[in-house]
Amino acid sequence: MLEVAIRKTLRDYMLDLSFTARPGEILTLMGSNGSGKSTTLNIIAGLLSPDTGHIRLNNRTLSEPVHGTFVPIEHRRIGYVFQNAAVFPHLSVSENIAYGLRARGLPGKEIAGHVARLAAMMHLDDLVSVRASGLSGGQKQRVALARAIAIRPDLLMMDEPYSSLDPESTEAVKSLTRHIVSEMKIPCIIVTHRVSDSYKIGDRVLVISSGKKEWEGRPCDMPGDCSVCRCSSGNP
Amino acid sequence: MNLSGSIPEPYRNRIAYIGAGILILIVTLYLTLPIIALFFRTTPDLFLESLKNPQVISALWLSFFTSTISLAVVILVGTPFAYVHSRSAYPGKIIVDTLIDLPLVLPPAVAGFALLVLYGRMGLLGRYFNMLGISIAFTTLAVIMAQIFVASPFYIRQAKSLFEQFDRNFENTARTLGASKVRTFLTVTLPLTAGGLVSGAVMTFGRALGEFGATIMFAGNLPGVTQTMPLAVYVGMESNFTMGLTISILLVIISFAIMISVRFLLKKEVWHA
C-alpha cells in the first residue's frame, strides 16, 4: 500500500497532494503539462524531497521531513520507468535487465535465470544480446519495464510510457503492465495526459492541476465517453 | 541600379560557384602551404637520418613522457572536478568557470612567467619548497606543470559540457535500480560520455605536446631535462636546421593524427534517451 501526503513549494505553485494506491491497483495520474505529475513521481522515488508530509510504502516511511526521515533512492525498492524509457544504449538487452540485480550483488547464475524469465515474459527472447541503442520504441519500453520489475519492487511507476509508441506497441505494453501488477500484487502509478489511457488501464484516476487534486475516482465516473472503460467491461 | 537583375540566371550561378571556389582555395592554401613547405625542404633519407640524432630522440621521448603524465593528471583530477562542478550550484560558480578558461586566452609566456613567480626559487610558494630542498623551476616537473596549466582547460571544458548535456534520466534510472552514485558514474555516465571525454583528452595531449612559451619561461631549455620537441625546433632554427625540420614534420604528423581522431570520436559524443 502506498500512502502519499506531500507538500512542496515549486517555482510556480505549491504542490499539495494526498492519495493512496493499493496493491494490484493501477492509479493513473492525469493533468496538463507542468501540472506536477512527474514531480510527484520524482518525490516518491526520492529524486526530490518534499517540504512537509510523508510517503509510506507497505508501512515503511520513505520520506518524512519532520522526523528527518529520507530513505535514499537506491534503497526505496521502487521500479521507475522514466519518460522515453532511458534504456542504457551502451548495454545489451540482457545487461539492461540485469543492471539492478548486479547492483544488488546477486550471483551470476541467479541473475541469468531472472533475465531469461523476464525476457521471455516481455517477448524479448530473441533480442537479449542486441545492443539497446538499436531497439524500437516499443522494444525499449518493454526492456525498461523488465528492468524495473527485475528488482522485485514494492511499487511500479511509469512516466508517460505510451507517449512515443505506435498503437500496437501501446496495447502490448499496457497488457504487460496489467499482467505484472496483478501477478506481483504491487501498486502502480502511471502518469499520462491521455484520457483514453486512464479508461483502458486505470483502476482509479487522479487528475491534478497546478499541484492540487482536481478529481479522483473510477475511470468510468470520469466526465466523457467511457465506452472503452475497464470498469464498464466488467473487469474492475 | 540592380546589377544582379541584369545578369542572366545561369551566369549568376556560375559566378557564385567560382567565387566560392576561390574563397575556399585561398583559405585552405593559406593554412596548409606553410605546412606543405616543410615537407619540400627535406628528403625521406635526410628525415630518417635525422631521426637518429640523440637530441631528436631525447626531445621526442621527453615530450611524450611529460605529455602523458600531464594528461593522466588532467584526467584523474579534471574528470571528478568537471562532474562535481557541472552538477552543483554554488556562489561564484561563474567566476570559477571563467578562471578555469583563463589559460586558453592567456599568452603562454605570461603563464610561464606566472608559474615562475609562484613556484620559482624565490617565488611565493617556491621559497618554502626550496627550504624543504624541493626545487621546481627548470626541472622536468616544471615542464609537466606548465603543460597542465595551459592544456587542462581543453579537457575540463569538454568534460563539463558533456556532463551538463547528459540526459539525467539515465543516472536517475540507475539510482532507482539500486546503484550507488559512484557505481552510476562508473557504469552509466562515464561509458556514455567516453567518446567526448577521449576527444577532449586527445586535444589536451596535443596542446601539451606543442607547449612552448610557458615551458621555456618556467622550465628553461635543458637538453634531456626540459627540452621538449617545440623547444628543440627553436634550437634547431638557430643551430641545426635539419633537426628543427625533422621535429617540425613529426609534430605536424602527430597533430594531423590528433585532429583526425578527434573528428572521429566527436561523432559519438552524447547519448540521449
Side-chain angles (χ1 to χ4, degrees):
Chain A
M1 174 83 150
L2 172 72
E3 299 159 72
V4 176
I6 47 168
R7 294 186 84 175
K8 184 172 180 68
T9 307
L10 303 177
R11 198 185 57 189
D12 298 326
Y13 53 80
M14 161 85 81
L15 182 80
D16 186 357
L17 280 179
S18 297
F19 61 89
T20 58
R22 294 185 299 273
E25 179 186 45
I26 294 180
L27 173 74
T28 51
L29 199 54
M30 287 188 60
S32 53
N33 285 342
S35 57
K37 308 184 295 288
S38 299
T39 307
T40 305
L41 293 198
N42 288 342
I43 291 173
I44 296 171
L47 295 166
L48 296 169
S49 178
D51 295 339
T52 56
H54 65 260
I55 298 162
R56 291 195 188 104
L57 185 56
N58 298 344
N59 294 322
R60 184 166 73 120
T61 303
L62 300 181
S63 294
E64 193 164 15
V66 73
H67 293 127
T69 310
F70 185 83
V71 175
I73 311 162
E74 64 266 37
H75 296 142
R76 292 202 169 202
R77 296 180 65 90
I78 293 175
Y80 191 169
V81 177
F82 287 84
Q83 208 169 355
N84 299 326
V87 170
F88 304 133
H90 60 303
L91 301 181
S92 69
V93 167
S94 60
E95 286 167 336
N96 262 281
I97 299 173
Y99 189 89
L101 303 172
R102 288 215 173 107
R104 282 168 162 72
L106 258 67
K109 264 191 177 174
E110 206 174 315
I111 291 174
H114 282 301
V115 170
R117 186 177 54 79
L118 287 164
M121 185 204 260
M122 298 290 172
H123 313 298
L124 293 164
D125 319 54
D126 300 338
L127 300 167
V128 282
S129 52
V130 172
R131 219 169 225 241
S133 55
L135 300 176
S136 71
Q139 289 165 341
K140 280 183 183 167
Q141 203 62 246
R142 280 185 278 147
V143 173
L145 192 53
R147 185 178 61 180
I149 61 166
I151 59 167
R152 304 287 308 170
D154 295 330
L155 166 70
L156 179 64
M157 302 198 296
M158 301 172 84
D159 192 356
E160 300 276 10
Y162 320 118
S163 58
S164 58
L165 302 187
D166 58 66
E168 200 180 324
S169 303
T170 300
E171 288 315 309
V173 176
K174 274 181 187 167
S175 137
L176 282 169
T177 311
R178 168 55 60 193
H179 175 71
I180 288 160
V181 172
S182 309
E183 282 277 302
M184 296 178 78
K185 293 185 177 56
I186 53 170
C188 172
I189 306 174
I190 296 177
V191 160
T192 180
H193 61 270
R194 287 199 301 228
V195 180
S196 60
D197 291 339
S198 296
Y199 280 144
K200 286 186 182 174
I201 196 167
D203 296 309
R204 209 147 48 83
V205 183
L206 178 64
V207 182
I208 62 170
S209 174
S210 298
K212 310 278 185 306
K213 190 188 292 183
E214 200 165 70
W215 192 87
E216 187 178 5
R218 297 194 315 163
C220 53
D221 295 330
M222 277 176 81
D225 171 30
C226 89
S227 54
V228 289
C229 187
R230 274 173 43 74
C231 18
S232 64
S233 64
N235 187 20
Chain B
M1 194 171 73
N2 186 357
L3 273 176
S4 63
S6 63
I7 303 170
E9 180 77 23
Y11 290 109
R12 252 192 291 164
N13 283 345
R14 201 170 294 172
I15 290 166
Y17 281 133
I18 292 168
I22 290 170
L23 188 66
I24 290 168
L25 194 69
I26 288 172
V27 173
T28 312
L29 281 179
Y30 183 79
L31 295 175
T32 52
L33 262 183
I35 293 162
I36 294 166
L38 285 174
F39 290 84
F40 277 100
R41 282 300 300 266
T42 188
T43 61
D45 289 343
L46 205 59
F47 176 75
L48 292 173
E49 187 58 38
S50 189
L51 274 181
K52 293 173 189 161
N53 180 337
Q55 207 173 343
V56 174
I57 294 167
S58 159
L60 192 68
W61 186 87
L62 187 69
S63 275
F64 272 93
F65 172 72
T66 53
S67 300
T68 306
I69 301 283
S70 301
L71 180 64
V73 172
V74 170
I75 290 174
L76 287 174
V77 179
T79 310
F81 167 81
Y83 186 75
V84 171
H85 182 76
S86 66
R87 293 298 159 85
S88 46
Y90 57 88
K93 189 176 174 178
I94 296 172
I95 297 169
V96 172
D97 258 329
T98 314
L99 290 173
I100 292 162
D101 290 345
L102 196 62
L104 288 175
V105 289
L106 201 68
V110 176
F113 192 67
L115 285 166
L116 197 61
V117 166
L118 185 63
Y119 298 110
R121 194 184 297 191
M122 300 308 290
L124 286 173
L125 288 177
R127 70 182 69 167
Y128 299 109
F129 284 119
N130 202 39
M131 275 163 26
L132 297 169
I134 302 166
S135 181
I136 297 173
F138 307 108
T139 63
T140 306
L141 177 63
V143 176
I144 294 167
M145 286 173 73
Q147 288 175 347
I148 291 171
F149 189 85
V150 296
S152 60
F154 284 86
Y155 181 79
I156 292 173
R157 267 171 74 96
Q158 174 84 352
K160 259 192 322 161
S161 144
L162 284 165
F163 295 142
E164 275 160 10
Q165 289 172 47
F166 188 68
D167 189 333
R168 298 288 291 274
N169 277 350
F170 288 130
E171 290 173 342
N172 292 339
T173 300
R175 301 277 283 125
T176 59
L177 291 169
S180 64
K181 280 183 182 173
V182 174
R183 190 184 181 97
T184 300
F185 180 75
L186 293 176
T187 59
V188 175
T189 317
L190 212 51
L192 291 179
T193 49
L197 289 177
V198 173
S199 79
V202 173
M203 288 294 283
T204 302
F205 186 77
R207 178 65 188 88
L209 207 61
E211 178 16 60
F212 176 79
T215 311
I216 204 163
M217 293 291 283
F218 183 44
N221 190 7
L222 307 167
V225 182
T226 66
Q227 192 180 83
T228 55
M229 285 204 282
L231 271 67
V233 171
Y234 177 68
V235 170
M237 196 186 71
E238 288 184 327
S239 57
N240 187 344
F241 190 78
T242 313
M243 181 183 85
L245 200 60
T246 302
I247 297 176
S248 297
I249 290 172
L250 275 177
L251 282 170
V252 166
I253 294 167
I254 295 165
S255 304
F256 189 71
I258 284 171
M259 290 318 292
I260 293 284
S261 33
V262 167
R263 283 184 78 89
F264 173 74
L265 290 164
L266 277 177
K267 275 185 188 168
K268 42 176 183 179
E269 192 173 309
V270 180
W271 297 81
H272 293 283

